[in-house]
Amino acid sequence: MSEAVIKKLEDYSDVVLRRTKDYLPFLSRLCLVATFMEDGVRMWSQWKEQSNYINHHWGCGSVLSNMFVIYNLFGQLIPSILVLARKYVKISVGLLFGVVFIQTVGYGILFDVRFLLRNVALLGGLVLLLAESMGETKSMFAGVPTLGENRPQNYMQLAGRVLICLMFLTLLGEMSFNNVFTELVRAVELIVGLPLMICVCIGYKTKLASCCLVFWLFFLNIYLNPFWMYSSSRAMHDFVKYDFFQTLSVIGGLLYVVTNGPGGVSFDEHKKNW
């Protein structure tokens, strides 16, 4: 792709960003915590099933298994709401970190590599939220963090980008070839999405790559993960719904990059000093 085309696309993306700058940060945070909110609601709607599973898996008794459900219910919904309101963000992110750890142990995810990687990748969104919070407290202008080569925030943004890319990769490993057209779409997702994700990961043409991925993944998510088309009594409903909200987390991470930039540890930032 020629430099002229890339420049035109960057100019167009800048226009879109200027028109959406007032609500893009909120949308980014909403997508990042959406999977936690959905899981919190699921704890309420499937309270008995979740409690029975933990009790059966660990033999811990109904009291502890119900406490597990209560912690995951309130420990996800309340921090998520606080993050959206931009109140006590660091404490809220810490609580969500705790939920990820407890679920990893409680559900035995430590022994399931694919789900373990997804849980680890989920931390990428939380790291980005924490980096945003640090930027707001250290900058005179909210949402416009001051970048510096050795700021911990920059390395947190790098870690967040890498983990978001990891989550994207885990979402690609679902090809079953039961539906040829669907798997063709997934192959195109890999061919188109992977190079763009690499750009996001290393911080090269980051905002343009992130904008393209946001639109690409949004439409793919609706097509590939339509959980509303399955009966809630079917196991497939929960699996597809899980993938849907995990993809929303990836989109949220990309929206964060669009809004706040890649951070100091990136090719885009280093190019300014060349």
Side-chain angles (χ1 to χ4, degrees):
M1 190 180 291
S2 68
E3 279 294 324
V5 175
I6 293 177
K7 183 67 170 62
K8 184 173 291 187
L9 287 173
E10 287 180 327
D11 291 341
Y12 180 74
S13 64
D14 284 340
V15 172
V16 173
L17 293 179
R18 283 196 296 270
R19 292 179 178 178
T20 59
K21 64 180 181 180
D22 291 334
Y23 53 85
L24 209 56
F26 177 82
L27 187 59
S28 169
R29 293 192 301 274
L30 178 61
C31 289
L32 283 171
V33 300
T35 189
F36 292 104
M37 298 183 74
E38 184 275 331
D39 195 55
V41 171
R42 185 168 61 88
M43 288 293 162
W44 174 261
S45 63
Q46 299 180 2
W47 187 305
K48 185 177 179 180
E49 293 88 341
Q50 297 296 323
S51 178
N52 288 341
Y53 175 83
I54 294 298
N55 189 15
H56 175 76
H57 185 73
W58 291 101
C60 57
S62 60
V63 174
L64 287 178
S65 62
N66 278 300
M67 287 178 63
F68 176 88
V69 176
I70 291 171
Y71 177 79
N72 281 277
L73 170 62
F74 293 105
Q76 292 185 99
L77 290 179
I78 294 176
S80 295
I81 293 170
L82 289 174
V83 165
L84 292 177
R86 302 179 108 160
K87 303 292 185 182
Y88 309 106
V89 175
K90 292 181 181 178
I91 296 174
S92 299
V93 168
L95 290 172
L96 293 174
F97 265 107
V99 167
V100 173
F101 174 76
I102 288 175
Q103 288 194 358
T104 301
V105 176
Y107 290 119
I109 297 174
L110 285 169
F111 308 105
D112 187 319
V113 176
R114 183 171 68 89
F115 281 101
L116 177 61
L117 287 175
R118 284 200 178 187
N119 264 27
V120 171
L122 191 59
L123 299 178
L126 298 179
V127 170
L128 290 177
L129 288 171
L130 193 57
E132 181 188 37
S133 176
M134 292 176 62
E136 290 175 351
T137 56
K138 294 184 179 182
S139 173
M140 290 176 62
F141 303 97
V144 188
T146 304
L147 298 176
E149 206 53 50
N150 298 313
R151 289 266 305 276
Q153 181 195 356
N154 292 326
Y155 294 102
M156 291 174 66
Q157 288 174 299
L158 172 63
R161 295 200 317 270
V162 171
L163 290 172
I164 289 295
C165 292
L166 175 61
M167 182 180 290
F168 173 78
L169 293 176
T170 63
L171 291 168
L172 295 175
E174 303 295 329
M175 295 188 180
S176 61
F177 298 97
N178 291 329
N179 184 311
V180 176
F181 181 74
T182 297
E183 300 314 328
L184 179 62
V185 172
R186 289 191 181 277
V188 174
E189 178 186 14
L190 175 62
I191 294 170
V192 174
L194 189 58
L196 291 173
M197 267 299 178
I198 291 173
C199 288
V200 172
C201 189
I202 65 177
Y204 177 72
K205 301 290 184 184
T206 320
K207 288 193 175 184
L208 176 59
S210 297
C211 280
C212 293
L213 278 168
V214 165
F215 288 106
W216 176 250
L217 290 177
F218 175 78
F219 291 109
L220 277 182
N221 199 26
I222 292 175
Y223 174 74
L224 294 175
N225 302 311
F227 65 89
W228 52 88
M229 296 181 65
Y230 297 89
S231 170
S232 59
S233 60
R234 293 180 58 187
M236 194 64 181
H237 175 271
D238 286 339
F239 283 116
V240 176
K241 190 176 184 181
Y242 178 73
D243 280 351
F244 180 88
F245 282 94
Q246 291 278 298
T247 305
L248 274 188
S249 293
V250 176
I251 292 174
L254 293 170
L255 286 174
Y256 169 91
V257 174
V258 169
T259 306
N260 298 279
V265 187
S266 64
F267 275 93
D268 287 345
E269 185 65 23
H270 283 290
K271 279 197 306 181
K272 298 176 182 178
N273 301 321
W274 292 355

